[in-house]
Every structure is written in structure tokens, then in C-alpha cells.
Amino acid sequence: MLGMIGLFGGLAILIFLTMKGMNLLIAAPITALFIAIMNGIPLFPQLVEEGAVNFLTNYMGGFTGFIASWYLMFLTGAIFGKVMEDSGAADSISQWIVSKIGMKRAALAVVIACAVLTYGGVSLFVVAFSVYPMALSLFKQADLPRRFIPAALAFGSTTFTMTSAGSPEIQNWIPIEFLGTTPYAGGQVSLFVAIFMFVFGYWWLKRMISKAVAKGEKFVARDTDKEVDMQRALPNPFLSMIPLVVVLGITLVFHNLLGTSALIISLSGGILATFLLNKKYFQNFGHAVGEGAMGAVIAIANTAAVVGFGGVVKATPAFEVAVNVMTDIPGSPLIGGALAVAVIAGLTGSSSGGQAIALPLLAPHYLDLGVDADALHRTVAISSGSLDSLPQGGYVVTTIRSIAGETHKDAYPAFGALSVVVPLLGAVLAVILFSIGL
């Protein structure tokens, strides 16, 4: 019981500290230490046998492991975003979009841009880095409150695209290993759910922005914002889109061969394409690359801090008990599977982590019961993208703080509504549709 209190108490404390604005590099290890103590886990490797569970090894293993796996993706993604900004390509695209769909649909433009890149296989973190400069320009021109930018980025990336049938994102591929399905599992239901999430989510986002504007909220510029010179010559908007197409195309070509490593090639290609196509429009190419590199370090450190927290959580006896409880929930196996994956994703701050931990336990048990593998695949995929977006999640902190420079207090209400509530409703709809035999 003490271990379980420590587990969920530690998560609650981490969420509280994150919402209060504490640096995640401090909050995550402190709360992980609290969980370790409450679960009787030794603090240092010198106090246990070689290879045994201990706080320091498990935390730093998760922390450094994430950096080792993702640093170059973060680096190239952040630099790509910055060179798109410095060359004026992001401004050119945003002005063209506004001219076609109008200022009032600036948020829709951001959502669509994120959706296209995400469904094309670009990492969620990279999408946020790449689209943010355009989003900032769009929101500034439309005079919309900038605190909604993280919500628009997350909605376009982590809801109706990330976990839909055919998506090359890892959240749609992990179940294949355990269920013997395909990326298109549950395609018909997935389409219905994706349409629901898009329509309902965009309506909600638009409503929140409209209410804020009606109360007098406007775009507030900051000293750190790059000033937009309205007299500045900008590159052709169609040529400016070519680097995005390059990123998407290279990712699609090399994804099956190289997996996530294809992102390094595709983003490097995007950087090169931006430089070659817009060379004469750059203000300071070298400075943009340097700023992108520094931004990548901050972003990946914040994310790795939460992954380290998850490394300690997964090592606790209480976590194993919690997993067993979730997998033994009575009723429809789809409900139990969806809930188990969602809760574990919330505890570890990772949608892919929630699947990777739950499916080895769920899959054999439910398949033996005759559960439709395609239905289980789609249900757990959709549900994995819900509670992983609680305030302490690595993607959440990176997008809100490191990329957008907002506070949780200002940005998270809309962010959580679209990236937690909407996917949860989508998972419920999927269970219902599968249950009636659709």
C-alpha cells in the first residue's frame, strides 16, 4: 500500500510542481526519488548487487537512453525550424495560407500543417519545432492569443493523425509486433474516430480562441520574438514549401529501411533544401543553426528528465501491481486494454511506453480469449495518445515551455483539453463502434 501511495503520490507531486512552473530537470528527479524511497528501492548502485534495481541507475538509464536515441533527431529538427524562420520561408508560407483561407482560420492552418507532417512520419517533437515559426507568424498576423499555439500544434500532431490507421508513427506500429496486425488495422473505425476527433477538436479549439478574443486577449509580442519586417523580401511560398515536401518524401522513402533514423536524413535534407532554395534570403544562417542547436539541447533535456522518471516508476513493485490490476479489469477486453495502456502511458509520460509495457501482458491473454486483434490494435493505439499528455509529459513540457516559451498555467488548459480529453473520447467511440460490429 505504501508503495502504491508513493507511486501515484509522486505522479501527483510531479504534475503539481510542473503546473507551478518548477524546472523539470529538478522536479522530475526529486519526485522519482520520492517514489523510490516509498517503494524501498535502494538509492545507489553501490548498495546493491551488480545489475539490480536502484534509483540512480534506473533514472539515469532512462535519461541518457532517451538522449542517445533521439538527440540527432531533436538537433536536426530544431535547426530545420530555425532556418525556415531565418530565411523567411515560414513567414512566406504563413502569409500565403492566410491569403487563401483568411486570418480567422490561422489555427486551422497550423493544425493541417502538423497533421500532414505527422501522417508523413515526421516525429512529433520535430513537427512542433518545424511548424512553430509558421504558427507564430500566423497567430501574430491574425492577432490571436499566442497561448493557444501549443494546443494547435499538439492537436494536429497527437490526436487524429498519430494513432490512425496507416500512420507511420511508432504508436501505430508497436501493436503489430504483439498482435500480428498491420498498420491499417481497424481502418474503417479508425476513419470514423479520426473524423470525429478532428471535427470536435477543431470546434473546441476555435471556441476557446473565440472566447479569449471576445474577452480582449490579443497576440502579445515578446523581446525574444523575431521581428517581422513587413518590407522584407520573402521567398516564393511554393518554393518555401519544397523543404517540407523534402522532409516528408525522404521520410516515406527511408522509413521502412531505417525506421526513426530516417528522420536524421530527411531533416538534414530539409535544412539543405532550405539553404539552397532561399540562400539569398537568409539574415544570418550560422546564427540560426546555433540557436536551433541550443534549443534542441534544452528540449531534449526536459524530455529526458521525464523519461528518467518513468524509468524509476517502471522499476517499482507498485507499478507491477498497478499493471496487473489494469489488465484484470472485468468486462470488455477492449475497455480493459484501452484503460491499461492509457494509465500506464500517463504514469510513464509516454504513449509508446504505455503500449510497450502493457501489450506483452495484454496481447497473449486477450488473443486467447478470441478478441479481434485489429480492434485491440486500434483501441490501444488511440488510447495511448491520451493520458500521456498529462502536464508532466515530455512532449507537453517541450512544446509548451521550450518551443513556445509559454507557461503551463496559460497554455495547458487548452493543450490538455485537445490532447487528453479528445483522444479519450475517441477511444470510447472506438470501443463502441467495434462492440456493435462496425
Side-chain angles (χ1 to χ4, degrees), residues 173-195:
W173 285 69
I174 290 177
I176 297 174
E177 176 184 352
F178 303 100
L179 299 173
T181 49
T182 73
Y184 301 94
Q188 186 174 357
V189 168
S190 177
L191 179 61
F192 277 108
V193 173
I195 292 173

Side-chain angles (χ1 to χ4, degrees), residues 156-367:
S157 303
T158 68
T159 56
F160 60 93
T161 51
M162 181 180 78
T163 57
S164 293
S167 171
E169 297 295 333
I170 192 172
Q171 290 81 2
N172 184 46
W173 285 69
I174 290 177
I176 297 174
E177 176 184 352
F178 303 100
L179 299 173
T181 49
T182 73
Y184 301 94
Q188 186 174 357
V189 168
S190 177
L191 179 61
F192 277 108
V193 173
I195 292 173
F196 162 76
M197 287 197 287
F198 172 73
V199 173
F200 177 70
Y202 178 63
W203 169 83
W204 200 357
L205 174 62
K206 186 177 178 181
R207 185 170 182 268
M208 287 187 288
I209 293 176
S210 297
K211 289 181 67 176
V213 171
K215 292 180 180 179
E217 286 193 52
K218 299 180 179 181
F219 184 92
V220 178
R222 297 173 183 159
D223 293 338
T224 54
D225 289 343
K226 186 174 181 180
E227 287 294 328
V228 178
D229 182 2
M230 300 307 294
Q231 303 301 317
R232 177 189 176 189
L234 296 176
N236 182 282
F238 297 103
L239 290 179
S240 297
M241 293 181 191
I242 290 178
L244 296 177
V245 177
V246 168
V247 171
L248 183 60
I250 295 178
T251 300
L252 290 174
V253 170
F254 288 98
H255 184 271
N256 290 336
L257 176 64
L258 300 176
T260 55
S261 296
L263 294 174
I264 301 173
I265 300 176
S266 64
L267 289 164
S268 298
I271 295 169
L272 180 61
T274 304
F275 177 76
L276 294 177
L277 291 170
N278 304 308
K279 188 175 181 180
K280 67 179 181 179
Y281 294 99
F282 275 99
Q283 295 182 326
N284 192 328
F285 178 78
H287 182 66
V289 171
E291 278 194 334
M294 289 304 299
V297 170
I298 295 172
I300 198 169
N302 280 327
T303 307
V306 177
V307 176
F309 173 86
V312 175
V313 166
K314 288 186 290 185
T316 63
F319 181 76
E320 184 177 351
V321 173
V323 171
N324 291 333
V325 170
M326 293 297 167
T327 53
D328 291 335
I329 293 175
S332 170
L334 296 181
I335 296 175
L339 185 58
V341 170
V343 171
I344 295 171
L347 286 171
T348 59
S350 168
S351 54
S352 56
Q355 290 190 34
I357 294 168
L359 283 174
L361 303 170
L362 291 173
H365 175 64
Y366 287 158
L367 292 179

